[in-house]
């Protein structure tokens, strides 16, 4: 069955208003969502992403690295989830139940294909 990835996107301050108890509840909701997909046999993997990293750029056979990630966007990718689904429509329906939608969008794409295919 094909795999679909949901990029968990949000503004850098989307969770800042949460107190410690609320933040814990949100985390538990995210984990419960993944547990339910695991019980259904759909969850492949996922996780959060750190706020720091490195950006690699190649030019003329040379590779340079800068601290990052650097992006000129109002949203950042804070994590990802990979599921199995029959097609993009089914993947959309599954990700539509994710508790993150309270804080920001989820971008859903099929894994392993290039171009404009679904």
């Amino acid at each position: 069955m094909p795999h679909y990835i949901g990029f968990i996107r949000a503004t850098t301050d989307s969770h800042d208003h949460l107190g410690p108890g609320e933040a814990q509840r949100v985390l538990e909701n995210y984990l419960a969502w993944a547990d339910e997909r695991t019980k259904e046999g759909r969850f492949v993997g996922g996780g959060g992403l750190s706020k720091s990293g490195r950006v690699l750029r190649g030019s003329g056979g040379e590779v340079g690295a800068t601290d990052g990630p650097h992006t000129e966007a109002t949203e950042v990718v804070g994590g990802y989830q990979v599921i199995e689904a029959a097609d993009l429509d089914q993947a959309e329906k599954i990700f539509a139940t994710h508790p993150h939608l309270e804080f920001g969008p989820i971008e859903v794409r099929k894994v392993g294909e290039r171009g404009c295919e679904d």
Side-chain angles (χ1 to χ4, degrees), residues 33-50:
W33 185 89
D35 286 344
E36 285 298 313
R37 304 299 76 78
T38 299
K39 289 176 187 171
E40 296 169 355
R42 295 193 177 281
F43 190 72
V44 176
L49 301 174
S50 70

Side-chain angles (χ1 to χ4, degrees), residues 61-78:
E62 298 290 321
V63 176
T66 56
D67 287 337
H70 297 290
T71 179
E72 303 221 5
T74 58
E75 295 175 342
V76 295
V77 177

Side-chain angles (χ1 to χ4, degrees), residues 8 17 26 39 47 69-70 78-79 88 91 100 104 106:
I8 309 299
H17 67 283
V26 168
K39 289 176 187 171
H70 297 290
L88 183 58
H100 175 74
I106 298 174

Side-chain angles (χ1 to χ4, degrees), residues 85-102:
D87 55 29
L88 183 58
D89 291 334
Q90 185 181 44
E92 176 187 340
K93 288 177 185 171
I94 293 166
F95 278 113
T97 66
H98 199 288
H100 175 74
L101 292 171
E102 179 181 342

Side-chain angles (χ1 to χ4, degrees), residues 1-6 42 83-96 106-111 113 115-118:
M1 187 172 291
H3 292 180
Y4 289 84
I5 188 167
R42 295 193 177 281
I83 62 165
E84 290 185 344
D87 55 29
L88 183 58
D89 291 334
Q90 185 181 44
E92 176 187 340
K93 288 177 185 171
I94 293 166
F95 278 113
I106 298 174
E107 178 181 345
V108 180
R109 293 196 200 179
K110 189 172 187 180
V111 176
E113 285 192 357
C116 297
E117 300 92 27
D118 62 277

